Amino acid sequence: AALAPRILRAKKEEAEWVKNFVSKHKVDLIISDSRFGFRHPDIKSVIISHQLNLQFPKGWSRVGKRAQKVNEKWLNEFDEVWIPDEENHYLSGELSNSSLLKSRFIGIQSRMIKEEVERPESDPYILCILSGPEPQRSILEKKIRQQSPQIKEHVVIVGGRPDKPCKIFNCANTTYHHHLDTKTLAQYIQHADLVISRSGYSSLMDYYQLECKSMFLIPSPGQTEQIYLATRMKEMGICDFSLQKSFS
């Protein structure tokens, strides 16, 4: 509920940007990555989304039903909804389960490519990938950095901070990168003994694409979608997860 004004404002600003752009350029197709305002009534507009069926915690059924109606209304304003998953709902599960007639599955999508690459580290390592909004990103980083010296394995942390210089810091058994480019990050994921990360949908698609062999998920607090996806991965026997407050 607290995010509603911000979402409405963003939708209005996006629609205004598209209107101005279309007035100056010839546009045949608009593809929106989960941006509800990124469409035009006179041009075929497609939205990419796996969240057709929103998930809410217990006790939020009334608010959830209202939000679901708004979500469906906004999705239906587009000519098509493209779902980045297989038709069997492999990754998205109930999230993509909807009666929307204009939806179609386009397969699991990832910016990463699986290649035969050398190990980026000489020794085995645990890879911790941080992401998401503050302050939760920093809270998880602090927990991991405090605990990493207590284990024997080499720990590689990717801070998820592209705003910082791409520098490497070494301390005890830990190597810290503010961020890594796509190709290098894929290399680290492919060779990690264990990947610890959030359970965001884009991350799960990347791990699927790279055939990641071992994962452990920590959903962002308050993000019911990530909690649902982490729970689903555990139920499917793919990996385990922990809530951030109890992560060790």
Side-chain angles (χ1 to χ4, degrees), residues 32-183:
S32 166
D33 186 3
S34 300
R35 298 283 186 173
F36 288 113
F38 207 77
R39 55 176 292 276
H40 194 282
D42 300 327
I43 299 169
K44 182 175 181 179
S45 301
V46 172
I47 187 168
I48 300 175
S49 177
H50 64 281
Q51 294 199 61
L52 281 62
N53 182 23
L54 301 178
Q55 302 295 304
F56 292 90
K58 292 180 180 179
W60 287 66
S61 59
R62 183 177 297 180
V63 174
K65 287 179 181 178
R66 194 175 302 167
Q68 180 62 25
K69 284 185 178 180
V70 173
N71 186 57
E72 290 180 357
K73 178 179 180 295
W74 287 357
L75 288 173
N76 271 310
E77 290 175 353
F78 288 82
D79 296 290
E80 288 185 17
V81 180
W82 290 356
I83 305 169
D85 199 356
E86 307 297 341
E87 291 187 7
N88 62 359
H89 309 263
Y90 177 73
L91 281 184
S92 55
E94 288 295 320
L95 290 171
S96 60
N97 189 11
S98 173
S99 58
L100 284 172
L101 299 178
K102 298 184 294 183
S103 65
R104 67 186 179 103
F105 291 86
I106 59 172
I108 294 170
Q109 306 293 311
S110 173
R111 64 195 169 109
M112 297 184 175
I113 300 172
K114 189 176 188 303
E115 299 177 307
E116 292 297 326
V117 292
E118 295 181 359
R119 292 179 60 89
E121 302 280 340
S122 57
D123 298 322
Y125 59 91
I126 294 173
L127 178 65
C128 302
I129 304 174
L130 302 169
S131 62
E134 297 290 4
Q136 299 303 332
R137 190 209 65 83
S138 292
I139 291 172
L140 181 57
E141 177 178 319
K142 184 178 180 181
K143 294 193 76 166
I144 290 174
R145 294 183 76 165
Q146 286 176 338
Q147 295 182 32
S148 60
Q150 302 170 23
I151 64 174
K152 295 179 181 179
E153 290 89 343
H154 182 202
V155 178
V156 177
I157 302 174
V158 180
R161 294 294 304 274
D163 57 310
K164 296 287 186 179
C166 192
K167 293 183 178 180
I168 303 174
F169 300 93
N170 290 290
C171 180
N173 66 329
T174 304
T175 300
Y176 185 93
H177 302 264
H178 280 304
H179 65 98
L180 292 172
D181 61 76
T182 298
K183 188 172 182 178

Side-chain angles (χ1 to χ4, degrees), residues 11-29:
K11 185 174 185 289
K12 184 177 179 181
E13 290 172 354
E14 290 160 8
E16 190 63 28
W17 188 94
V18 171
K19 181 180 178 181
N20 291 334
F21 187 87
V22 168
S23 68
K24 300 172 185 177
H25 303 84
K26 185 179 184 303
V27 179
D28 299 308
L29 173 67

Side-chain angles (χ1 to χ4, degrees), residues 159-219:
R161 294 294 304 274
D163 57 310
K164 296 287 186 179
C166 192
K167 293 183 178 180
I168 303 174
F169 300 93
N170 290 290
C171 180
N173 66 329
T174 304
T175 300
Y176 185 93
H177 302 264
H178 280 304
H179 65 98
L180 292 172
D181 61 76
T182 298
K183 188 172 182 178
T184 306
L185 181 58
Q187 187 178 6
Y188 267 95
I189 292 171
Q190 283 184 240
H191 289 285
D193 283 1
L194 174 67
V195 175
I196 298 174
S197 87
R198 297 298 192 191
S199 50
Y201 194 70
S202 294
S203 296
L204 295 181
M205 288 197 294
D206 289 340
Y207 303 151
Y208 176 90
Q209 174 73 15
L210 296 174
E211 299 179 6
C212 183
K213 52 190 175 185
S214 184
M215 301 178 292
F216 188 88
L217 304 175
I218 308 170

